[in-house]
Amino acid sequence: MTSRPSAEPRDIPEATVARLPVYLRALTTLAEDGVATCSSEELAQATGVNSAKLRKDLSYLGSYGTRGVGYDVAYLRYQIARQIGVTQDWPVVIVGIGNLGHALANYSGFRSRGFRVVALLDADPSRQEEVVAGVDVRPFDDLEAIVEECGVAIGVIATPAAAAQDVADRMVAAGIRSILNFAPTVLAVPEGVDVRKVDLSIELQILAYHEQRKSPHLALTPIEEPAI
Amino acid sequence: MTSRPSAEPRDIPEATVARLPVYLRALTTLAEDGVATCSSEELAQATGVNSAKLRKDLSYLGSYGTRGVGYDVAYLRYQIARQIGVTQDWPVVIVGIGNLGHALANYSGFRSRGFRVVALLDADPSRQEEVVAGVDVRPFDDLEAIVEECGVAIGVIATPAAAAQDVADRMVAAGIRSILNFAPTVLAVPEGVDVRKVDLSIELQILAYHEQRKSPHLALTPIEEPAI
DNA sequence: TAGATTGTTAATCGATTAACAATC
DNA sequence: TAGATTGTTAATCGATTAACAATC
């Protein structure tokens, strides 16, 4: 392990970590618009958070603002990117090239935000003839070789639920320790491996819960309880 | 507003609401496997949460377990579905039928979990000849008519970032009050409208942050700070 | 100096969890 | 009755926010 630059061994709360990419994106937009400086209030507006929370979040990174003036957009942007770790590209592998895998492979936001899709893998030989977003679809069994060769640390699972645990096991065995899981299933992984889960129908269900409680609602005919 | 059944005017914490769909999915799997009863410990294992937290979550819904025995799978499943509001189908409209829109339209998990995609809309006339997952792609300008006709309360935005705010404005004007936003931009909406955001690159960045901090890491050559 | 805005403090709020009495 | 498991309490932890001293 190489020695770290002096400033940052404090650890950043999870809630703050989850917001840093939001700030980063807003700062990128501001930079593209030619804005050189912004206040915590302006950045808070742009990201939809409370300005006190924003300042508290930034204070975990260090002291990068100027009292009475605000933040230098380019400088703060760089500091946040460095903290997150997206000043260099992360090689990513996507497994499961169905509809969602296609969409992910074609998503341009990865490349511009610090990620490079180095391989698309699928167990189905009929999909292995395809080229998606300029990348060959290869057999799932190539996983280990690709992880080794490209130094892949992050894997994306876009397979059906039934295949997801096997894919995760293989990824972990191959040395991947960060997994983004789109399959609607809970993955069991050893300690030290991070899994984040994106579940489309869960998001819709959370919306439905609140929608159901909104005031003048159409009468919903309750259906009967199941006999038990 | 119709009167509510007696038991539930207590309100459920947000953190609990976000977990209810996870419990629901696990209970559905158990039911399909023919399991009639389960303990909080078993359900907690299946969903990856602490069993005390699970019991506390369920206690906000009511008292649906039996001490010394556990929970009846079918009954608890029904009660959670009722609380979330997915005992009947919610009509959903998807706007933006690019790669991601295709993937969403084809996602079978919606139908089985209380949602019905009633329309696919796109502003691009060349996409309006397509049929995706058995549903015609129609002009975005049909939005208001479809919302009215089908009683759509939930809209999904899968357009590029530049179009998302306009789409949201039109949705709100048409009467939609719950939006699931896949576009990488912060939406401004009036009070009373719920927006949930799914951002793929943000999820990856959160993984990258933790990955970067994991112990014996390959030396990352730091790139220089920008001149300011 | 006067005005503006950061970084930090401290109060408050909400979520998690261990422990256990209630009870099947 | 003895064993098992729920539902709830209370302690703890973490996140949010208003307020303001520090300082540009």
Side-chain angles (χ1 to χ4, degrees):
Chain A
M1 182 160 156
T2 56
S3 67
R4 287 272 174 67
S6 51
E8 71 237 74
R10 60 193 116 192
D11 54 290
I12 302 179
E14 262 313 297
T16 296
V17 169
R19 283 186 294 265
L20 291 179
V22 180
Y23 304 149
L24 183 59
R25 177 168 272 151
L27 288 164
T28 300
T29 304
L30 288 173
E32 284 167 359
D33 292 350
V35 177
T37 288
C38 71
S39 68
S40 63
E41 188 55 43
E42 289 164 332
L43 190 52
Q45 293 260 329
T47 52
V49 306
N50 178 301
S51 70
K53 195 196 302 196
L54 172 77
R55 288 197 300 279
K56 187 110 177 80
D57 284 342
L58 296 184
S59 76
Y60 292 111
L61 312 192
S63 196
Y64 297 127
T66 307
R67 285 161 139 105
V69 177
Y71 300 91
D72 180 280
V73 169
Y75 185 61
L76 182 58
R77 181 180 168 220
Y78 170 77
Q79 292 298 342
I80 293 177
R82 187 173 60 83
Q83 283 285 339
I84 299 176
V86 291
T87 44
Q88 85 288 322
D89 265 8
W90 291 91
V92 168
V93 60
I94 301 176
V95 177
I97 314 302
N99 283 302
L100 183 59
H102 268 90
L104 296 173
N106 280 299
Y107 179 48
S108 58
F110 289 156
R111 188 63 195 247
S112 60
R113 288 182 187 84
F115 303 95
R116 189 162 35 93
V117 176
V118 296
L120 306 174
L121 306 180
D122 202 297
D124 179 353
S126 73
R127 287 214 178 104
Q128 292 160 14
E129 285 147 29
E130 268 187 271
V131 178
V132 180
V135 179
D136 284 344
V137 178
R138 294 171 60 179
F140 178 55
D141 284 331
D142 290 3
L143 178 71
E144 290 77 6
I146 290 165
V147 168
E148 167 90 10
E149 185 192 330
C150 303
V152 175
I154 301 178
V156 176
I157 300 179
T159 65
Q165 183 64 59
D166 284 347
V167 172
D169 292 344
R170 286 279 293 272
M171 283 181 169
V172 170
I176 288 177
R177 283 163 306 167
S178 296
I179 295 175
L180 182 56
N181 179 30
F182 286 91
T185 190
V186 176
L187 296 179
V189 294
E191 199 165 351
V193 177
D194 270 1
V195 176
R196 292 191 68 86
K197 185 161 156 21
V198 175
D199 190 312
L200 311 178
S201 74
I202 284 180
E203 296 299 326
L204 278 184
Q205 287 179 54
I206 295 169
L207 283 174
Y209 171 85
H210 293 291
E211 183 66 34
Q212 192 190 28
R213 265 133 232 265
K214 282 177 185 166
S215 348
H217 199 282
L218 306 168
L220 298 171
T221 327
I223 62 174
E224 341 65 83
E225 302 187 14
I228 55 171
Chain B
M1 182 159 157
T2 55
S3 68
R4 287 270 173 68
S6 51
E8 72 237 72
R10 61 193 115 191
D11 54 291
I12 301 180
E14 262 314 296
T16 297
V17 170
R19 282 187 294 266
L20 291 180
V22 180
Y23 304 149
L24 183 59
R25 176 167 274 153
L27 289 165
T28 300
T29 304
L30 289 173
E32 284 167 0
D33 292 350
V35 177
T37 289
C38 72
S39 68
S40 63
E41 188 55 43
E42 289 164 332
L43 190 52
Q45 292 259 327
T47 52
V49 307
N50 178 301
S51 71
K53 194 196 303 197
L54 172 78
R55 289 197 301 279
K56 187 110 177 78
D57 283 342
L58 296 183
S59 76
Y60 293 112
L61 313 190
S63 195
Y64 297 126
T66 307
R67 285 162 141 104
V69 177
Y71 301 90
D72 180 280
V73 170
Y75 185 61
L76 182 58
R77 181 181 167 219
Y78 170 78
Q79 292 299 344
I80 293 177
R82 188 173 58 84
Q83 283 285 342
I84 299 176
V86 291
T87 44
Q88 84 288 322
D89 265 10
W90 291 90
V92 168
V93 59
I94 300 176
V95 178
I97 314 301
N99 283 303
L100 182 60
H102 267 91
L104 295 173
N106 280 300
Y107 178 47
S108 59
F110 289 157
R111 189 61 196 247
S112 61
R113 288 182 187 85
F115 303 94
R116 188 163 36 93
V117 176
V118 295
L120 305 174
L121 305 180
D122 203 298
D124 179 353
S126 73
R127 288 214 178 104
Q128 292 160 13
E129 285 146 30
E130 269 186 89
V131 177
V132 181
V135 180
D136 285 344
V137 178
R138 295 172 58 180
F140 178 56
D141 283 333
D142 290 3
L143 178 70
E144 290 77 6
I146 290 165
V147 169
E148 168 90 11
E149 185 191 330
C150 304
V152 174
I154 300 179
V156 176
I157 299 179
T159 64
Q165 183 63 58
D166 283 347
V167 172
D169 292 345
R170 286 279 293 273
M171 283 180 169
V172 170
I176 288 177
R177 283 163 307 167
S178 295
I179 295 175
L180 182 55
N181 179 31
F182 287 90
T185 188
V186 176
L187 296 178
V189 293
E191 201 164 349
V193 176
D194 269 2
V195 176
R196 291 191 68 86
K197 187 161 156 21
V198 175
D199 190 314
L200 312 179
S201 74
I202 284 179
E203 296 298 325
L204 280 184
Q205 288 178 55
I206 296 169
L207 283 174
Y209 172 84
H210 293 291
E211 182 65 35
Q212 192 190 28
R213 265 135 233 264
K214 281 177 186 165
S215 348
H217 199 282
L218 306 167
L220 297 169
T221 327
I223 62 173
E224 342 66 80
E225 302 188 11
I228 54 171

